[in-house]
Amino acid sequence: MQNSGWIGEVCGMLSLFIFIVANVYYPARLIANQHRPWPRDVAIFFKKYLDLHMWLNVVAFVLMTIHAAVTNDRNIFLYCSLLVTVWLTLAGILMRSKRFTSDTKKQMRLIHTQQAVFLVWLAVLIVGHLLV
């Protein structure tokens, strides 16, 4: 295996692992929401995990981009998954910005958290890798 191929594979596996760790935030929060009101330590945990969720997704996005750039695995589905990842990453970063009104943030949150967008991303990513 070439050096760039090895780097691409490592970046791909790391990005997958980091995406999983970062996005466990949502099911964990859904489960925790069943047991409201939260104790103070649980609320602090989810506040810190939200920051971790955002930064881990940014790191995973960078690794995914490196993976896409150095591997020869390319097709329309993988390009689409990269575009959806760009959208989700930028929307997440913009949601955390303090420059927008709360109404604008609510609209962005709706777009960012739609499970359909995540499912589309997952589907095109899986189909893209199956076709390679």
Side-chain angles (χ1 to χ4, degrees):
M1 185 179 285
Q2 292 178 349
N3 197 26
S4 65
W6 180 80
I7 291 170
E9 293 303 315
V10 168
C11 287
M13 295 303 287
L14 279 174
S15 71
L16 175 63
F17 177 74
I18 293 171
F19 272 130
I20 290 169
V21 171
N23 292 300
V24 164
Y25 171 80
Y26 289 112
R29 182 126 185 197
L30 285 173
I31 292 167
N33 280 342
Q34 303 298 316
H35 305 287
R36 282 204 178 251
W38 292 339
R40 186 173 182 272
D41 57 336
V42 173
I44 291 169
F45 169 78
F46 278 111
K47 183 174 175 24
K48 288 180 181 179
Y49 199 169
L50 180 59
D51 291 334
L52 185 66
H53 159 79
M54 185 189 78
W55 289 111
L56 285 177
N57 274 313
V58 169
V59 169
F61 168 69
V62 169
L63 289 170
M64 181 184 184
T65 304
I66 293 168
H67 169 71
V70 300
T71 61
N72 291 326
D73 303 339
R74 293 182 176 90
N75 60 45
I76 191 69
F77 294 102
L78 293 176
Y79 284 123
C80 287
S81 73
L82 190 59
L83 288 175
V84 173
T85 306
V86 168
W87 167 251
L88 290 171
T89 303
L90 290 177
I93 290 169
L94 289 174
M95 278 179 21
R96 302 290 297 199
S97 174
K98 297 183 190 294
R99 294 184 179 193
F100 298 104
T101 65
S102 62
D103 193 40
T104 305
K105 285 184 182 182
K106 285 179 187 176
Q107 292 172 354
M108 284 191 292
R109 188 173 299 118
L110 267 174
I111 293 169
H112 178 71
T113 59
Q114 287 180 350
Q115 292 176 357
V117 175
F118 176 77
L119 293 176
V120 166
W121 174 79
L122 192 60
V124 294
L125 190 63
I126 290 170
V127 169
H129 276 91
L130 290 175
L131 294 176
V132 173

